[in-house]
Amino acid sequence: KSIGKYVLAINDYSAVINKNPLDYESLIERGKLQMKRKNYKLALSDFAKIRDKTTDLYLIMSDCFLFLGNVVSAFSALKRVEDDRIKKNYNLFKIYEMQYNIDEGMKYLNLTLEKSQDIIVLKSAADFYYNCGDFEQAAKYYLEIMNNDKNDLNLMLKYYLSLLMSKDGDNTFVIQQLKSDDLYFELYNEDCINNNQKIYEHLIHILNNYNCNYNNSYPNTNLQEDII
């Protein structure tokens, strides 16, 4: 239903634009709707027609480029944003993460976290630290998210994996949590209970069964500046 509404709205804006190709407001709104339909190239085509682009528009364009995997153009768009926006720092973090530049990625992640505890930022931080092998920090952020969302199995299992793989990993606690969350099946063998590798394989098996993606791909960047 929502897709149908987007199509109707896009058609309405297109009718306006056909009559007045310089109706920049309609171009921007149609571009935003194209983004919601994941038509990022069409969105960028609309945005490119805007003569005097605002800071907000450059931030939106950087989103499009990132979703398309074009980090060079995303970076160029962010260079036009002079003020220190949360969204700018977050997208710079995503650029450096995609380039496997851990130091720069961590720098801009920390700048983002200083001003925002948005759930998207916290999830990105947790996944970033997990992928970097800093499982203590990953567990910290996964737990923080879980305190607000106890029904996300993906996050729950990533949290247990982080605990298990951390330097002071306590498999006893992980097993207790698995029992309490009814995820203990298949771990009845005593050899498995005392074997972190077996527990790890069990958690990965559950993730795969529930189609959870523990090697997180590029996440949503739709941060709302007015709420963070």
Side-chain angles (χ1 to χ4, degrees):
K1 291 183 179 179
S2 60
I3 293 177
K5 290 180 181 179
Y6 293 152
V7 172
L8 291 174
I10 287 171
N11 289 339
D12 289 341
Y13 282 119
S14 295
V16 174
I17 293 166
N18 288 337
K19 292 179 180 179
N20 181 10
L22 297 180
D23 189 329
Y24 292 155
E25 182 177 345
S26 294
L27 282 167
I28 291 173
E29 292 306 315
R30 186 173 72 175
K32 289 179 179 178
L33 288 170
Q34 296 288 15
M35 287 181 69
K36 289 181 178 180
R37 299 190 67 212
K38 300 184 179 180
N39 294 328
Y40 303 114
K41 289 183 179 180
L42 291 176
L44 286 168
S45 177
D46 279 344
F47 299 148
K49 296 170 185 173
I50 309 300
R51 182 171 297 175
D52 297 317
K53 296 179 179 63
T54 64
T55 291
D56 288 339
L57 185 56
Y58 279 120
L59 287 169
I60 293 171
M61 291 175 69
S62 74
D63 274 348
C64 289
F65 287 125
L66 280 172
F67 279 117
L68 292 170
N70 187 342
V71 295
V72 173
S73 294
F75 188 77
S76 295
L78 291 172
K79 284 173 67 176
R80 304 295 188 97
V81 181
E82 295 182 359
D83 51 341
D84 185 27
R85 295 282 192 98
I86 295 171
K87 180 66 171 155
K88 176 183 178 180
N89 287 331
Y90 181 78
N91 278 12
L92 285 169
F93 154 65
K94 296 311 304 177
I95 286 173
Y96 289 117
E97 182 187 38
M98 292 169 75
Q99 294 178 325
Y100 302 101
N101 188 331
I102 294 175
D103 291 339
E104 287 298 302
M106 193 171 296
K107 170 186 171 182
Y108 285 102
L109 174 61
N110 288 332
L111 286 172
T112 305
L113 287 166
E114 285 175 6
K115 297 182 179 180
S116 173
Q117 294 296 301
D118 183 271
I119 192 69
I120 294 172
V121 176
L122 294 177
K123 284 183 177 180
S124 294
D127 287 331
F128 177 75
Y129 283 113
Y130 182 92
N131 291 331
C132 289
D134 189 341
F135 301 112
E136 288 82 2
Q137 281 291 91
K140 167 191 167 184
Y141 286 110
Y142 285 134
L143 180 60
E144 190 169 344
I145 301 165
M146 285 170 55
N147 288 334
N148 297 313
D149 185 359
K150 298 183 183 298
N151 297 318
D152 191 324
L153 178 65
N154 190 13
L155 291 173
M156 183 193 305
L157 293 172
K158 286 181 178 179
Y159 171 60
Y160 297 154
L161 281 167
S162 299
L163 287 179
L164 191 65
M165 298 171 69
S166 63
K167 184 170 56 179
D168 300 319
D170 182 358
N171 62 15
T172 303
F173 174 76
V174 173
I175 290 173
Q176 288 174 345
Q177 293 301 113
L178 288 170
K179 285 180 177 178
S180 65
D181 294 323
D182 295 326
L183 296 171
Y184 190 62
F185 58 91
E186 296 184 10
L187 279 180
Y188 297 113
N189 189 307
E190 193 69 28
D191 292 335
C192 294
I193 293 175
N194 295 318
N195 188 322
N196 278 17
Q197 178 64 31
K198 292 292 185 182
I199 301 172
Y200 172 85
E201 291 172 358
H202 173 67
L203 291 171
I204 296 299
H205 175 70
I206 298 172
L207 279 167
N208 290 335
N209 279 352
Y210 283 85
N211 296 316
C212 299
N213 182 13
Y214 68 97
N215 288 322
N216 197 51
S217 58
Y218 180 60
N220 179 15
T221 65
N222 188 26
L223 298 183
Q224 300 296 321
E225 289 284 352
D226 55 341
I227 64 170
I228 60 176

